[in-house]
Amino acid sequence: MSVNFLRRVAQLLAGLFFYGFSIGMMIRAGLGVSPWDVLGQGTSLQTGIPFGFVTNLIGLVVLLLWIPLRQKPGPGTVLNVLLVGPSAEVALAVLATPGNVVDQIVLFAAGLVLLAVATGLYIGARMGPGPRDGLMTGLHARFGWPIWAVRTGIEVSVLAVGWALGGAVGLGTVAFALLIGPMVNRTVPFFHIPARAAA
């Protein structure tokens, strides 16, 4: 087992843990949930299906969209489902909601930055993106659109649909939708492990 393979595994696991932890940070900030969670809330309101199950169904639908994009799930895709939720729960267990708006903004901003870094880490490990990030990288690979444009377009579209369905939207939601694309446009190439260095 080579050092480079161990590096990829370590980078994947760190990225997935930080991804979930960052979600917990933004939830605790109390300034609004991510666009995908807005969509989940709105869908749950309209259908009566519990939010957690709706989230799973949305993930399944997104995975089906991989087919025309010729994306294939990898170990990272499976681990995404298994590890992100528990690591978010860790953040929720150790963090309290800030007592003032300034601290809320700081916590949300830190969570957003950490999520961008985490995305770069686990996608850069080349062991399979999560369902939603796989849609982003698939559209980028298939059509050549910049990653920042694809991610921003997806987040804004999901936000609009979720809002129309009645999902909760806050200032943090808008900031997430507008900023996450340009941020991952920098972190994904930065943490990418080249194929020639792979095991």
Side-chain angles (χ1 to χ4, degrees):
M1 189 175 295
S2 74
V3 172
N4 285 316
F5 177 76
L6 292 176
R7 176 193 167 191
R8 290 171 64 201
V9 172
Q11 183 169 310
L12 170 69
L13 295 176
L16 291 176
F17 176 80
F18 290 141
Y19 194 97
F21 198 90
S22 68
I23 291 173
M25 292 171 68
M26 289 185 285
I27 290 173
R28 278 288 183 249
L31 296 176
V33 296
S34 74
W36 284 104
D37 290 331
V38 173
L39 177 62
Q41 288 178 330
T43 303
S44 179
L45 284 172
Q46 296 299 322
T47 63
I49 300 173
F51 175 78
F53 189 56
V54 166
T55 301
N56 292 339
L57 291 176
I58 290 174
L60 177 60
V61 170
V62 173
L63 278 175
L64 291 176
L65 293 176
W66 285 28
I67 297 173
L69 297 174
R70 299 175 186 147
Q71 289 283 93
K72 295 181 180 179
T77 310
V78 177
L79 288 174
N80 181 289
V81 176
L82 296 175
L83 298 181
V84 169
S87 58
E89 289 297 326
V90 170
L92 293 173
V94 301
L95 298 174
T97 300
N100 60 74
V101 175
V102 173
D103 289 343
Q104 285 179 284
I105 293 173
V106 170
L107 181 60
F108 181 88
L112 184 60
V113 171
L114 182 60
L115 187 139
V117 170
T119 301
L121 283 169
Y122 88 78
I123 290 179
R126 296 186 304 102
M127 300 187 79
R132 294 157 184 81
D133 289 314
L135 179 61
M136 173 187 70
T137 56
L139 288 169
H140 167 69
R142 182 71 182 272
F143 299 105
W145 299 333
I147 284 181
W148 72 266
V150 173
R151 182 62 181 260
T152 301
I154 290 172
E155 298 291 341
V156 171
S157 299
V158 166
L159 172 59
V161 174
W163 189 20
L165 292 174
V169 176
L171 291 177
T173 308
V174 178
F176 186 101
L178 295 177
L179 297 177
I180 192 62
M183 292 170 73
V184 299
N185 190 53
R186 291 189 176 271
T187 62
V188 169
F190 183 82
F191 290 107
H192 178 72
I193 300 176
R196 64 179 179 275

